[in-house]
Amino acid sequence: MANTGLLSLCTYSRVTGLAVEAGAGVSHVTSVCLGQTQREATYRLGVAGGFLSSYLHILLMDSTNEPSALKAFKRKPVIHMKKQCCYVSMDYEGDLQNQGFHHPARFQAPDGHCIIRHKERFCCPEPLFQPELLHQSSPGLHHLAWQSLQKVPDHTKGDTVGNIVLSGGSSMFPGFPERMCLELNALFHDTGCQIQVLASPESGTAAWAGGSIAASLTSFQQAWMAKGEYEEHGAEYLHRILQ
């Protein structure tokens, strides 16, 4: 067993850095130092792909599209639409105010209806940075990343901020890496830290790929946990055997 943040870093050939994971059910930020996860520097955000799909459906229902066509819209086509058409804005408030940035995109539903989307394209992923749009009081992913980096030891902070890796399907929205970098640079603007956000075309499966890499290492053998040990001690035992 291994922390998914560490596995995501393995995909990028890193053992020190910050993993920003935006998956289907939940999002996390995890600081890792020389292969050891920093538990006190790990944060969770209850906004991820599933919530964004539901939010997109709500946005479409509130748009100028035909409500009758959208009411019967199944979840799977909404997910396809989200992946095909949505992107992260570099200036959310500005784009909302400027109609010229509401670039339309067409999506044909299974029943033949052609749905034209405008601002919904960049409104859908925005709760990753502004969870209050989904009535959540948590800070956005960039703020959680900043909070995590505050707890990193000073002697490793340079390596950590220079190795911020992205993973999970919700990190694959066009513009997500650039927005994350933009927000973090704004938060660190007076610190002298050099922010580097690493994104891969395979970031959606980064944790899985990292698990494959880690399991092939001889050093990983010490992390094996027997079923009986897990049943006796629970998931907390993992942190003890990895120390």
Side-chain angles (χ1 to χ4, degrees):
M1 299 180 69
N3 182 279
T4 55
L6 171 59
L7 298 183
S8 296
L9 279 164
C10 288
T11 300
Y12 293 84
S13 301
R14 304 293 196 277
V15 293
T16 295
L18 177 76
V20 178
E21 305 173 86
V26 69
S27 299
H28 289 97
V29 295
T30 307
S31 287
V32 180
C33 180
L34 297 176
Q36 296 293 316
T37 58
Q38 310 295 299
R39 297 181 63 192
E40 71 282 358
T42 299
Y43 294 93
R44 177 185 185 277
L45 173 64
V47 175
F51 296 88
L52 299 180
S53 297
S54 299
Y55 185 50
L56 176 58
H57 192 264
I58 293 171
L59 290 170
L60 291 170
M61 290 292 291
D62 291 339
S63 72
T64 57
N65 293 291
E66 292 184 42
S68 58
L70 293 168
K71 283 181 180 178
F73 216 43
K74 303 298 183 183
R75 185 171 183 82
K76 195 170 183 179
V78 172
I79 294 174
H80 285 316
M81 185 191 302
K82 178 186 70 175
K83 293 179 178 179
Q84 177 180 318
C85 303
C86 292
Y87 66 93
V88 173
S89 169
M90 294 298 103
D91 179 12
Y92 178 72
E93 298 299 335
D95 287 353
L96 276 180
Q97 299 300 319
N98 191 337
Q99 293 285 334
F101 285 93
H102 297 184
H103 304 300
R106 294 176 178 270
F107 182 86
Q108 186 167 346
D111 63 0
H113 279 87
C114 186
I115 299 173
I116 301 176
R117 298 176 50 219
H118 294 271
K119 65 180 182 180
E120 297 84 12
R121 297 185 65 198
F122 62 85
C123 287
C124 170
E126 188 61 23
L128 291 168
F129 298 91
Q130 298 191 61
E132 61 270 21
L133 293 172
L134 292 181
H135 309 291
Q136 294 199 24
S137 58
S138 170
L141 265 182
H142 59 299
H143 275 288
L144 293 180
W146 180 82
Q147 290 178 19
S148 180
L149 291 168
Q150 299 311 299
K151 297 189 175 182
V152 171
D154 288 340
H155 68 279
T156 64
K157 185 163 292 186
D159 288 337
T160 307
V161 300
N163 292 291
I164 300 173
V165 305
L166 305 182
S167 71
S170 297
S171 73
M172 297 185 69
F173 287 111
F176 183 91
E178 293 83 359
R179 174 72 177 276
M180 182 62 65
C181 190
L182 178 71
E183 298 286 1
L184 287 175
N185 273 315
L187 291 170
F188 282 93
H189 73 282
D190 58 351
T191 65
C193 292
Q194 299 297 313
I195 302 296
Q196 184 173 7
V197 176
L198 307 175
S200 163
E202 289 77 39
S203 61
T205 55
W208 182 91
S212 178
I213 294 170
S216 67
L217 302 175
T218 55
S219 59
F220 189 70
Q221 302 308 310
Q222 66 182 6
W224 289 117
M225 179 189 295
K227 180 181 178 182
E229 291 177 305
Y230 183 85
E231 292 175 343
E232 179 180 355
H233 302 286
E236 184 69 20
Y237 189 59
L238 171 66
H239 299 286
R240 290 163 53 188
I241 64 176
L242 289 177
Q243 288 179 348

